Structures are given as structure tokens and as C-alpha cells.
């Protein structure tokens, strides 16, 4: 089952975002956190397929959270969708992309746009996971072949 993490300091947003997700993706498991510290712990300890991150986190900038997630080997491959209620220009979007954000959505969220972005992010995560497994399998085969050649 695919899992989504919502990081938003405003708990009132959790229900509305969760309801939209469940409308289009009832199969997804949704977790919510309001603090950045809890977000990092949850992201490291759970296999999330996508993270929805409010850019305006209380006491912490959402871009810093994104950067921290993308700089950790346990969380760097999780797609991050930045959520914002503010109108942002292309410079701010580029800053977010350079720090590792994968997409931006404006609040109030449009259900169909959220559905489309989640589909893309879930597909990206699935592909990355499959490629990692294939890479690991190839590395193991290569190591086995090297060991066999040394034994001969």
C-alpha cells in the first residue's frame, strides 16, 4: 500500500487535504505531522511514497525542511510536493526545485490537480524503487562473478 505524509503546522488543513486525497485515491494510507522534527523521524522510519509539505511551516521554512529531506539518504528519493497558500513567482519556484522539490500546488487545492500530481509522484517513486532493486541485483551478480573469477 502506498503511503503519503502530510507535513503542515495547521492541523485544520490535514482533514481537507486528506479528504481530497481519499476522494481520488481511497487506497492510500495518509499520515500527518505538524512539527519538522517529527516529520524527519517519520520520513526516515516509514516508507512514504510522497510527501506533501506546506512551505509556510510555523517556526521553520518549508524549503529548509525539503532540503533536509533531500539531503538524507533515507528520504532523498521520496517525491516532495510543496503546498502554498501564497502566490509565488518563478524565482521562488526555482529555489524550491533547486532544493529538491518535485512539484508545487497552490491552496486551496484543486482535487483533480492534486490527483494528477499524486499519480505522477507515485509513478516516479515506484520507478525509482524498481531501478534501485535492479541496480542492487546487478551489483550482487557482479560481485558473485568477480568472486568466481578469483576462485578459478
Amino acid at each position: 500500500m502506498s503511503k503519503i505524509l502530510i507535513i503542515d503546522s495547521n492541523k485544520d488543513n490535514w482533514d481537507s487535504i486528506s479528504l481530497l486525497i481519499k476522494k481520488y485515491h481511497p487506497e492510500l494510507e495518509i499520515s500527518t505531522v505538524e512539527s519538522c522534527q517529527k516529520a524527519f523521524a517519520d520520513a526516515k522510519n516509514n516508507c512514504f511514497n510522497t510527501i506533501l509539505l506546506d512551505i509556510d511551516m510555523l517556526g521553520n521554512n518549508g524549503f529548509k525542511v525539503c532540503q533536509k529531506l533531500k539531503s538524507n539518504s533515507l528520504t532523498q528519493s521520496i517525491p516532495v510536493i510543496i503546498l502554498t497558500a501564497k502566490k509565488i513567482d518563478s524565482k521562488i519556484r526555482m529555489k524550491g526545485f533547486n532544493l529538491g522539490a518535485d512539484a508545487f500546488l497552490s491552496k486551496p487545492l484543486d482535487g483533480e490537480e492534486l490527483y494528477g500530481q499524486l499519480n505522477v509522484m507515485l509513478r516516479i517513486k515506484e520507478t525509482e524503487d524498481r531501478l534501485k532493486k535492479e541496480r542492487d541485483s546487478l551489483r550482487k551478480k557482479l560481485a558473485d562473478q568477480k568472486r568466481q573469477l578469483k576462485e578459478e
Side-chain angles (χ1 to χ4, degrees):
M1 172 182 284
S2 294
K3 295 164 57 172
I4 304 296
L5 177 62
I6 300 171
I7 307 171
D8 195 324
S9 58
N10 184 347
K11 290 182 179 181
D12 294 336
N13 290 334
W14 294 357
D15 288 336
S16 61
I17 296 170
S18 296
L19 284 171
L20 271 179
I21 292 171
K22 286 296 185 185
K23 178 179 178 181
Y24 294 97
H25 284 285
E27 76 286 358
L28 294 178
E29 181 181 322
I30 301 169
S31 296
T32 56
V33 294
E34 65 179 307
S35 75
C36 297
Q37 293 77 17
K38 179 113 172 72
F40 295 128
D42 280 8
K44 288 179 190 177
N45 295 323
N46 294 290
C47 297
F48 290 106
N49 300 83
T50 300
I51 295 174
L52 299 175
L53 171 62
D54 186 353
I55 198 173
D56 300 313
M57 296 286 295
L58 291 177
N60 212 331
N61 182 310
F63 284 136
K64 290 179 184 175
V65 175
C66 182
Q67 184 178 25
K68 188 169 181 178
L69 287 166
K70 292 300 186 167
S71 66
N72 185 295
S73 63
L74 297 174
T75 57
Q76 67 186 7
S77 68
I78 304 171
V80 174
I81 300 174
I82 299 284
L83 306 177
T84 182
K86 297 177 181 175
K87 179 136 175 84
I88 56 174
D89 62 22
S90 61
K91 286 183 182 181
I92 293 174
R93 284 183 188 269
M94 286 309 301
K95 176 183 177 183
F97 290 134
N98 288 332
L99 294 174
D102 296 284
F104 281 83
L105 287 176
S106 297
K107 294 179 186 176
L109 296 175
D110 174 88
E112 291 182 6
E113 186 177 15
L114 176 62
Y115 170 75
Q117 285 292 340
L118 281 175
N119 283 342
V120 170
M121 297 306 132
L122 293 170
R123 212 170 37 243
I124 287 170
K125 179 68 171 138
E126 180 183 314
T127 301
E128 282 193 18
D129 289 348
R130 184 175 34 81
L131 289 172
K132 282 181 189 176
K133 284 180 185 176
E134 289 175 10
R135 180 198 63 205
D136 292 344
S137 174
L138 288 171
R139 284 181 177 166
K140 185 181 180 315
K141 286 179 185 178
L142 182 60
D144 289 345
Q145 288 176 348
K146 284 182 179 180
R147 189 177 55 254
Q148 286 176 353
L149 286 173
K150 285 182 181 179
E151 291 173 358
E152 292 177 1

